[in-house]
Amino acid sequence: PNLDSVKVAVRVRPFNQREKDAGSQCVISMNSNCTTICDPRNPENRKSFTFDIAYWSHSGFIKNADGKFIPGGLGSRYADQMKVFNDLGQGVLDNAWQGYNATLLAYGQTGSGKSYSMIGYGANRGIIPIVCEELFRVINNNQDKNKQYQQVSFSMLEIYNEQVKMLISKQCAPSSLKICVDVFLFLFFGGGKYLKGETEGISKLVTSPATRPMPRTDRLNSPSDSTSMYLAQFFYKIFLEENITKQSSINMVDLAGSERQKVSGSEGDRLREGTAVNLSLTTLGNVISSLAEVAVRKRVLHIPYRDSVLTKLLQSALGGNSRTIMMAALSPADICYEETLSTLRYAERAKKIKNKAVVNKSPTE
Ligand code: ADP
Ligand code: MG
């Protein structure tokens, strides 16, 4: 089997209102795939990191009245959702079509742009819904008689407080796949934004037994929730000519915010939630550190996959049979310097992991 490294991308977003109000300076710069962060209290102190891809989505350059290019606006340098999908989402799909398992993780502090990239807001759709549609488009348009898509399933899980909730779970005949996409969009964006006029039909789908999401609590259902993780899983199986079966599973995760929970000041439930949410994320960190150590020092170590729900679910994706991509989301602002630096360090560790991906191919029984 091939040994391949986890592929790592970073993406820096525009200033948010809070950062603008604070008169923030941008501490991130990118030059091709090199990302540099500058310590706002000591500008001499710069650290550079090289990842597979660096997305500048902070701002672009716009022409002012004199025809000069000045920073601002969302100009040509701005890496938009389609650009990010074309690399990362398409990368996941390419691996899946070849029969490799594929995993994409978005990591970063709350507000850094994980959900924007993975799920999206409004018209700026993220990677998961586009992958979803693209997967179904390819399957539905298949004209090749030697390829038979046998089984396709899609599920969306929420991990919150070490509990897993199934939001959508569906095994589909290829012809009904569009329903999955619609249900997905409905759940995450509500009826208004995407499905003007179709809302009524979709509500019927969501409450029909085949597509009804499992019971959910009221606090669910917003990609801006910083303590939940959303995991989209696809599985497909295809019969090829000469009695070969290929299959693949895809995992895409919008992780919980990576910032340390402020323990002081939290009480009761809040504290318990904070602690438990950290368990999956902390364990993910421990798993990544151990795997990086195994790869670099060639040591045999116990990998604590079983310590949390998330790492159990992703066991084969991390250091196992999967091609894995991590996208680290970055705030550009000086006020987030410490967190952003720790995200970059985390991403650097992830880069060292080696996976052993194999094509899932077997003779048809
Ligand atoms: P997270 O999921 O990491 O907590 P969000 O994805 O919800 O963060 O992003 C926080 C805010 O920043 C949102 O309002 C989002 O629209 C905006 N944002 C994030 N990334 C980008 C981007 N690449 N371009 C434009 N706006 C972005
Ligand atoms: Mg989010």
Side-chain angles (χ1 to χ4, degrees), residues 79-154:
D80 64 9
Q81 296 288 66
M82 225 38 214
K83 168 85 183 119
V84 174
F85 166 79
N86 283 335
D87 302 326
L88 308 186
Q90 196 57 55
V92 162
L93 284 168
D94 291 344
N95 284 324
W97 296 135
Q98 290 175 57
Y100 291 105
N101 295 335
T103 304
L104 173 62
L105 303 161
Y107 182 88
Q109 76 178 117
T110 298
S112 59
K114 298 178 298 296
S115 300
Y116 184 90
S117 294
M118 296 300 284
I119 295 169
Y121 292 98
N124 294 308
R125 295 209 281 159
I127 295 171
I128 297 174
I130 307 178
V131 163
C132 206
E133 274 188 352
E134 189 54 20
L135 193 91
F136 300 156
R137 191 188 62 78
V138 169
I139 293 176
N140 282 329
N141 292 350
N142 175 41
Q143 304 284 335
D144 185 345
K145 293 276 181 295
N146 297 317
K147 280 184 183 171
Q148 257 186 296
Y149 291 90
Q150 198 63 24
Q151 210 184 323
V152 183
S153 62
F154 169 56

Side-chain angles (χ1 to χ4, degrees), residues 103 114 133 150 159 218 244 305 323 327 347:
T103 304
K114 298 178 298 296
E133 274 188 352
Q150 198 63 24
I159 303 171
D218 291 337
I244 297 285
Y305 291 114
R323 292 211 162 149
M327 197 211 74

Side-chain angles (χ1 to χ4, degrees), residues 171-197:
Q171 264 215 25
C172 325
S175 59
S176 68
L177 289 173
K178 190 177 174 301
I179 294 173
C180 287
V181 182
D182 292 345
V183 172
F184 173 85
L185 297 177
F186 179 80
L187 272 175
F188 279 88
F189 302 101
K193 284 177 192 149
Y194 276 98
L195 305 158
K196 285 193 194 85

